[in-house]
């Protein structure tokens, strides 16, 4: 096999041998300093010579659409006018490959992926390359966000047979769907140090014709090895590992990889990884009186502050970009993903609970302000993403970051007003530029702008505290804050007139579930009913548009139609494990925020369906996909890594524990133990790869707190006790409202609730741990002492 250096990046997942969770293996920025493309193959493929880039600019109105024109996915529709004879993933393509005995070319990406755009422009719109594909291959295009099962299986192959992975992912398969060559982005033609896509196609065509039997044997051998490597089961183990040991090792591995100066873990590119921050907060809580506990808190809070001050945060329009291309969180890859907004809102809310610093609360509110403004469908659901690329001006070719960057001249023209009271002549624009680090030549280095698209441009990054900026110009802090806020608002209004980035209007059940959690948790922590209402509307959307009542199954996707309607593919794309796990988590968080038991009831139904469709009765844990849905794929996987999104098995472990706490059903506790036991070897080997599961392991071995509030849901004293609970960081708890109705859903699940009484007819709280109840308390201050001694 041949390993060749070229864009886009190998996303860094390993640090100091510990295997830190991958920040993301999504398509990446054109400015990444470390960019690798990898060709993995069963046969040697030497590199070729120098070539050129092809760009076809023919408008879609002059082209004949291919089969993808009938799809709903924004990503597939972006390729509907390629001259490539694309098929969607399905039996029609597989049958044709078998009938004509041709290899399948599988290309996987998503609609806001920069390097997917590049490869389409350079290769898939190229008539000569398309002719090669059409004559010698059956070409299949997959939206990885629609079919995460297909993506995971073949990404496993690419990562196992090369030094990395990413998107676009391009894999060549036998007609029986066995992979034999794989890679990420390919330039169209050979360069001095990298192989071109045309050369790859010609050599695979030759090998398929001349050396097919060897190729097929090697493919089968690799697939067999992958099956053995990817198997996760309980084996002979009876119990999961020690939570104390796994916590300690996970913390030490994170500590070793920590960036003392800028926060975060590993080198650039740097990704927000909420699962790590959540682990550190939980570690702090159980080690508060130790040096390691203080260190864990400091690492998490410092990382969140540095991210929020950096350019990875959109200071003008709020929300967070996908990742930072540098160590300083300065120049981001500009796409914005729904799942990042959802998880970061929770992380900043937790930081506020722990620190009491309003800075973190403001960041959380800003994230959700962005989401409700830019990613919220009128029916309550949430769109998937906004692109990194956009046109600098209408009619121009899209460039990465064009919507978000600023020149000094633009800012000076927008903010020319003099600032009264300053110790030197100063305009509002100069004040903003000083605070956010804007310079005349631009603050983006050439190392992060290899294509020269961002010369003279600036990314807003907070360079000084408000106090330092105020002192520099002899102004009051409040005056500086007001001037900066006013300046950012003017930039925001001016930015509205720029061509907007492409919106991926696909809606995914999993990411909507994460967003329900984001709004519910933040709304509860900050005591903001309007945020909880967004969570309620999101859950209603899921039940109305992404749930099949007859079968009890979730749908994976739906799409924004014309006039605010919601459309579905036909046949529907059914949910995967992550859809169930993340939606169940969202519903549990929403119950605790709203105290509406209907959401808890639906969570129980979905968990039953999840168990029926995905549980591995023999090996323990959950498969990522239904057996029937993945028929024909060479592997059926269990996701074993917490990355930019937590592993669905990690989330499921937490869900099972919480559901047991809400219902007392022992089978869910048993399932949780089987799941944790099945992943024992992975946790023991690389605990830092599964920080969210290590958290679940701790919750399982320490047991959850049951916090019961007896009272009228609408009464002030009940709300005061509930808000007291929400204001404290208590990750391992279930919060139950007992309204005194013995026929209520929760009273039927937990009969002991009917034995708990209000004291002097006042709202009363009980805390249960290890089946032992506290004395009843009626004052929030007393409850706080019980919960946070």
């Amino acid at each position: 096999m041949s390993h060749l250096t070229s864009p886009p990046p190998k996303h860094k997942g390993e640090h100091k041998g510990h295997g830190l969770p991958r920040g993301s293996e999504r398509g990446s920025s054109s400015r990444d300093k470390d960019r690798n493309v990898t060709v993995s193959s069963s046969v040697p493929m030497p590199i070729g010579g120098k070539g050129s880039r092809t760009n076809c600019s023919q408008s879609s109105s002059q082209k004949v659409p291919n089969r993808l024109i009938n799809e709903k996915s924004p990503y597939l529709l972006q390729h509907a006018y390629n001259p490539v004879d694309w098929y969607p993933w399905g039996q029609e393509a597989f049958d044709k490959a078998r009938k004509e005995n041709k290899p399948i070319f599988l290309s996987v990406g998503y609609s806001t992926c920069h390097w997917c755009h590049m490869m389409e422009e350079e290769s898939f719109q190229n008539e000569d390359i398309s002719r090669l594909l059409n004559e010698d291959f059956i070409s299949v295009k997959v939206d990885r966000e629609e079919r995460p099962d297909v993506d995971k299986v073949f990404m496993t192959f690419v990562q196992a047979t090369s030094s990395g992975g990413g998107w676009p992912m391009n894999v060549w398969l036998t007609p029986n769907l066995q992979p034999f060559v794989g890679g990420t982005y390919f330039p169209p033609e050979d360069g001095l140090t990298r192989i071109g896509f045309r050369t790859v196609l010609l050599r695979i065509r030759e090998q398929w014709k001349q050396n097919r039997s060897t190729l097929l044997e090697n493919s089968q051998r690799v697939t067999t090895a992958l099956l053995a490597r990817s198997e996760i089961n309980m084996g002979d183990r009876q119990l999961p590992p020690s939570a104390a040991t796994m916590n300690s090792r996970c913390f030490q591995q994170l500590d070793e990889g920590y960036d003392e100066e800028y926060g975060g873990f590993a080198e650039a590119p740097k990704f927000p990884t909420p699962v790590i921050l959540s682990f550190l907060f939980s570690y702090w809580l159980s080690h508060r009186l130790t040096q390691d506990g203080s260190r864990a808190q400091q690492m998490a809070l410092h990382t969140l502050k540095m991210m929020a001050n950096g350019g990875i945060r959109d200071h003008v329009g709020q929300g967070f970009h996908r990742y930072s291309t540098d160590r300083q969180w300065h120049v981001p890859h500009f796409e914005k993903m729904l799942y990042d907004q959802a998880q970061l809102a929770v992380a900043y809310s937790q930081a506020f609970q722990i620190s009491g610093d309003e800075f973190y609360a403001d960041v959380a509110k800003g994230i959700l302000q962005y989401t409700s403004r830019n990613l919220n469908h009128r029916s309550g659901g949430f769109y998937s993403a906004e692109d990194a690329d956009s046109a600098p001006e209408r009619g121009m070719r899209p460039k990465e970051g064009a919507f978000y960057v600023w020149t000094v001249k633009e800012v000076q023209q927008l903010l020319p007003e003099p600032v009264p009271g300053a110790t030197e002549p100063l305009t509002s624009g100069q004040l903003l530029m000083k605070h956010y680090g804007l310079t005349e030549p631009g603050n983006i280095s050439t190392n992060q702008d290899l294509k020269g698209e961002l010369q003279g441009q600036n990314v807003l990054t907070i360079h000084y505290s408000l106090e330092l900026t105020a002192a520099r110009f002899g102004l009051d802090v409040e005056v500086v804050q007001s001037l900066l806020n006013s300046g950012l608002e003017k930039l925001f209004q001016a930015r509205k007139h720029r061509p907007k980035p492409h919106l991926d209007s696909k809606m995914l059940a999993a990411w909507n579930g994460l967003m329900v959690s984001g709004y519910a948790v933040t709304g509860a922590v900050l005591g903001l009913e309007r945020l909880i209402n967004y969570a309620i509307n999101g859950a209603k959307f899921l039940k109305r548009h992404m749930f099949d009542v007859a079968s009890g199954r979730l749908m994976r996707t739906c799409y924004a139609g014309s006039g605010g309607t919601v459309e579905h593919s036909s046949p529907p794309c059914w949910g995967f494990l992550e859809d169930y796990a993340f939606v169940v988590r969202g519903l549990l968080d929403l119950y605790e925020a709203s105290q509406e038991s209907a959401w808890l009831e639906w969570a129980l139904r979905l968990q039953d369906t999840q168990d029926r469709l995905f549980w591995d009765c023999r090996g323990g844990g959950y498969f990522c996909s239904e057996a029937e849905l993945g028929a024909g794929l060479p592997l059926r996987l269990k996701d074993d890594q917490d990355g930019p999104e937590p592993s669905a098995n990690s989330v499921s472990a937490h869900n099972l524990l919480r559901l047991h706490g809400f219902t007392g059903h022992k089978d869910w506790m048993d399932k949780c133990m089987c799941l944790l036991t099945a992943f024992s070897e992975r946790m023991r080997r690389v605990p830092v790869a599964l920080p969210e599961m290590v958290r679940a392991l701790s919750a399982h071995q320490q047991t959850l707190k049951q916090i019961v509030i007896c009272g009228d849901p609408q009464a002030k004293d009940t709300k005061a006790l509930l808000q007291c609970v929400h204001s404290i960081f208590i990750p391992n708890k279930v919060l139950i409202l007992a309204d005194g109705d013995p026929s209520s859903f929760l009273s039927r699940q937990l009969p002991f609730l009917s034995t708990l009484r209000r004291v002097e007819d006042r709202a009363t709280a009980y805390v249960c741990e290890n089946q032992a109840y506290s004395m009843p308390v009626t004052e929030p201050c007393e409850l706080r002492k019980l919960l946070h001694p």
Side-chain angles (χ1 to χ4, degrees):
M1 64 188 68
S2 174
H3 306 295
L4 307 148
T5 301
S6 171
K10 173 183 74 175
H11 296 274
K12 299 205 181 280
E14 304 296 313
H15 187 82
K16 295 189 179 180
H18 296 319
L20 291 178
R22 295 178 188 275
S24 172
E25 291 172 338
R26 304 184 62 86
S28 185
S29 166
S30 57
R31 300 177 315 288
D32 288 344
K33 188 174 181 181
D34 178 20
R35 294 182 304 279
N36 285 347
V37 73
T38 307
V39 179
S40 53
S41 172
S42 302
V43 290
M45 297 183 65
I47 60 174
K50 194 172 182 178
S52 62
R53 169 176 167 171
T54 304
N55 179 17
C56 300
S57 57
Q58 186 180 8
S59 71
S60 61
S61 61
Q62 298 171 290
K63 296 181 180 180
V64 177
N66 56 47
R67 291 171 186 80
L68 301 184
I69 197 67
N70 298 314
E71 297 298 307
K72 298 289 186 186
S73 158
Y75 177 62
L76 299 188
L77 289 172
Q78 285 173 352
H79 292 76
Y81 287 92
N82 295 165
V84 178
D85 186 18
W86 290 116
Y87 286 79
W89 179 266
Q91 201 59 47
E92 183 184 6
F94 311 151
D95 290 344
K96 187 172 177 65
R98 291 178 187 123
K99 180 180 178 182
E100 299 182 10
N101 205 10
K102 290 180 179 178
I104 293 169
F105 167 62
L106 171 66
S107 183
V108 181
Y110 60 104
S111 82
T112 57
C113 164
H114 174 79
W115 285 100
C116 300
H117 300 333
M118 292 295 295
M119 193 159 180
E120 183 205 7
E121 178 185 313
E122 296 171 340
S123 293
F124 301 147
Q125 292 182 18
N126 181 303
E127 296 285 350
D128 292 336
I129 289 177
S130 296
R131 192 174 301 112
L132 266 175
L133 282 168
N134 296 342
E135 288 175 357
D136 297 298
F137 303 89
I138 304 301
S139 299
V140 175
K141 187 52 97 165
V142 166
D143 182 336
R144 69 171 296 263
E145 292 164 358
E146 281 191 331
R147 291 301 302 259
D149 57 332
V150 175
D151 178 64
K152 281 186 177 80
V153 164
F154 296 112
M155 186 63 75
T156 299
F157 167 77
V158 171
Q159 290 175 329
T161 56
S162 69
S163 58
W167 292 276
M169 175 177 67
N170 298 293
V171 187
W172 284 262
L173 319 175
T174 70
N176 291 323
L177 307 184
Q178 303 280 342
F180 60 90
V181 174
T184 54
Y185 165 86
F186 294 95
E189 307 293 347
D190 296 342
L192 292 175
T193 59
R194 60 192 190 185
I195 195 168
F197 189 53
R198 185 196 307 272
T199 300
V200 174
L201 292 174
L202 289 171
R203 292 185 180 161
I204 290 175
R205 179 180 71 177
E206 180 183 359
Q207 290 291 338
W208 186 257
K209 291 179 178 177
Q210 304 297 329
N211 199 23
R212 188 179 309 170
S213 59
T214 301
L215 190 151
L216 293 175
E217 288 172 10
N218 290 343
S219 173
Q220 183 58 53
R221 188 162 57 249
V222 169
T223 302
T224 301
L226 287 178
L227 273 168
R229 272 182 53 176
S230 61
E231 190 170 1
I232 294 171
N233 58 54
M234 291 185 291
D236 296 329
R237 293 179 292 271
Q238 300 297 315
L239 293 170
S242 157
T245 302
M246 294 301 98
N247 267 286
S248 178
R249 288 185 58 203
C250 188
F251 169 75
Q252 293 300 328
Q253 290 173 358
L254 289 171
D255 191 24
E256 290 173 24
Y258 184 65
D259 184 335
E260 298 286 351
E261 189 172 1
Y262 295 105
F265 302 87
E267 299 298 323
K270 267 187 180 172
F271 297 82
T273 315
V275 289
I276 288 178
L277 302 171
S278 185
F279 168 82
L280 290 172
F281 283 147
S282 294
Y283 188 86
W284 160 78
L285 187 65
S286 56
H287 298 77
R288 272 181 300 166
L289 303 180
T290 69
Q291 187 174 350
D292 282 353
S294 298
R295 170 69 169 166
Q297 183 199 55
Q298 179 264 330
M299 286 195 290
L301 292 177
H302 181 231
T303 296
L304 286 166
K305 184 149 283 191
M306 296 304 290
M307 282 169 45
N309 286 338
I312 191 174
R313 179 183 172 202
D314 178 2
H315 295 276
V316 173
Q318 297 303 312
F320 278 77
H321 298 296
R322 184 64 205 93
Y323 62 82
S324 173
T325 63
D326 54 68
R327 181 184 161 211
Q328 296 82 5
W329 305 105
H330 176 204
V331 181
H333 175 45
F334 290 92
E335 74 180 314
K336 289 180 176 179
M337 308 304 303
L338 182 68
Y339 61 78
D340 283 326
Q341 316 310 320
Q343 295 178 88
L344 286 170
V346 173
Y348 280 97
S349 298
Q350 291 172 338
F352 172 66
Q353 284 177 312
I354 289 165
S355 69
D357 188 341
E358 291 284 347
F359 171 84
Y360 298 107
D362 289 342
V363 176
K365 286 186 280 190
I367 292 169
L368 298 182
Q369 179 188 35
Y370 159 73
T371 307
S372 59
R373 185 181 60 235
N374 288 52
L375 298 178
N376 194 200
H377 187 275
R378 66 172 65 175
S379 296
F382 298 96
Y383 304 128
S384 295
E386 285 192 303
D387 209 321
D389 298 4
S390 59
E393 295 179 24
R394 302 201 184 281
M396 294 180 67
R397 182 182 180 275
K399 296 181 179 180
E400 188 173 6
F403 186 71
Y404 298 102
V405 293
W406 301 89
T407 64
V408 163
K409 182 179 178 181
E410 285 176 309
V411 175
Q412 287 174 330
Q413 288 176 342
L414 287 166
L415 304 171
E417 309 86 3
V419 176
T423 53
E424 62 186 77
L426 180 72
T427 66
S428 295
Q430 289 168 331
L431 177 71
L432 186 141
M433 289 187 290
K434 183 71 175 178
H435 189 72
Y436 287 101
L438 278 67
T439 65
E440 187 76 42
N443 63 12
I444 301 171
S445 74
T446 53
N447 286 338
Q448 294 159 294
D449 183 27
L450 299 181
K451 295 166 68 181
E453 293 183 340
L454 297 170
Q455 291 180 3
Q457 302 286 348
N458 292 272
V459 174
L460 270 64
T461 304
I462 295 176
H463 273 225
Y464 306 101
S465 68
L466 285 170
E467 290 76 13
L468 278 175
T469 300
R472 167 71 176 78
F473 297 108
L475 298 168
D476 291 338
V477 170
E478 294 77 15
V479 171
V480 171
Q481 180 71 79
S482 177
L483 288 168
L484 291 174
N485 288 345
S486 175
L488 291 173
E489 177 60 26
K490 288 180 180 177
L491 264 58
F492 177 72
Q493 294 302 326
R495 204 171 76 174
K496 284 183 177 179
H497 299 288
R498 296 178 176 180
K500 288 184 171 61
H502 159 71
L503 172 70
D504 186 334
S505 58
K506 175 175 74 272
M507 289 170 274
L508 300 171
W511 297 0
N512 273 258
L514 289 175
M515 204 69 241
V516 169
S517 285
Y519 276 102
V521 171
T522 306
V525 168
L526 303 183
L528 295 174
E529 199 69 31
R530 60 183 173 83
L531 298 183
I532 297 172
N533 286 335
Y534 272 104
I536 290 171
N537 290 335
K540 287 179 178 176
F541 179 91
L542 281 163
K543 195 161 191 179
R544 186 183 308 122
H545 295 289
M546 307 190 78
F547 178 61
D548 180 64
V549 177
S551 65
R553 293 164 80 192
L554 285 171
M555 297 175 200
R556 168 73 174 173
T557 59
C558 63
Y559 310 86
S562 58
T565 59
V566 176
E567 298 179 350
H568 296 86
S569 57
S570 182
C573 183
W574 294 109
F576 296 92
L577 174 63
E578 65 183 40
D579 296 297
Y580 288 84
F582 295 174
V583 170
V584 168
R585 172 195 266 187
L587 294 173
L588 297 180
D589 289 337
L590 181 53
Y591 165 72
E592 293 196 348
S594 69
Q595 297 302 319
E596 294 180 15
S597 62
W599 302 122
L600 184 56
E601 292 185 57
W602 191 31
L604 266 65
R605 279 192 67 190
L606 290 178
Q607 187 65 50
D608 283 336
T609 305
Q610 175 183 321
D611 293 347
R612 173 168 54 86
L613 296 176
F614 304 102
W615 181 253
D616 180 1
C617 296
R618 289 185 298 175
Y622 294 97
F623 291 110
C624 294
S625 58
E626 295 181 43
E628 293 77 12
L629 193 60
L633 287 172
L635 305 172
R636 192 182 182 205
L637 299 174
K638 297 174 187 173
D639 197 1
D640 64 348
Q641 183 160 302
D642 295 321
E645 303 162 62
S647 154
N649 270 287
S650 297
V651 173
S652 293
H654 284 281
N655 290 346
L656 290 165
L657 287 174
R658 293 173 75 183
L659 287 166
H660 173 261
F662 280 121
T663 66
H665 295 177
K666 186 176 180 296
D667 55 334
W668 277 329
M669 181 65 83
D670 293 342
K671 267 194 169 66
C672 181
M673 190 173 75
C674 289
L675 187 158
L676 294 169
T677 304
F679 282 85
S680 291
E681 183 58 33
R682 177 67 165 160
M683 279 193 282
R684 283 195 183 96
R685 196 169 66 248
V686 201
V688 77
L690 282 166
E692 187 72 5
M693 190 169 287
V694 173
R695 281 207 322 119
L697 179 67
S698 298
H700 177 262
Q701 293 184 5
Q702 295 169 7
T703 73
L704 299 185
K705 281 185 171 76
Q706 281 179 315
I707 304 169
V708 182
I709 310 294
C710 301
D712 177 353
Q714 304 306 317
K716 285 185 179 179
D717 56 353
T718 304
K719 290 181 178 180
L721 291 176
L722 290 169
Q723 190 54 45
C724 173
V725 177
H726 290 310
S727 70
I728 304 170
F729 178 66
I730 318 169
N732 301 333
K733 72 164 192 323
V734 292
L735 174 59
I736 296 169
L737 177 66
D739 60 5
D741 179 4
S743 65
S744 69
F745 174 75
L746 273 166
S747 293
R748 296 196 307 272
Q749 302 292 321
L750 299 170
F752 74 83
L753 293 179
S754 62
T755 68
L756 303 180
R757 296 284 181 263
R758 301 186 201 183
V759 174
E760 297 176 356
D761 207 30
R762 299 168 63 190
T764 304
Y766 296 83
V767 179
C768 176
E769 269 186 287
N770 296 316
Q771 298 182 328
Y773 279 90
S774 69
M775 293 295 289
V777 297
T778 57
E779 295 295 336
C781 60
E782 296 172 334
L783 179 57
R784 180 173 291 275
K785 288 176 186 176
L786 275 178
L787 296 174
H788 199 52

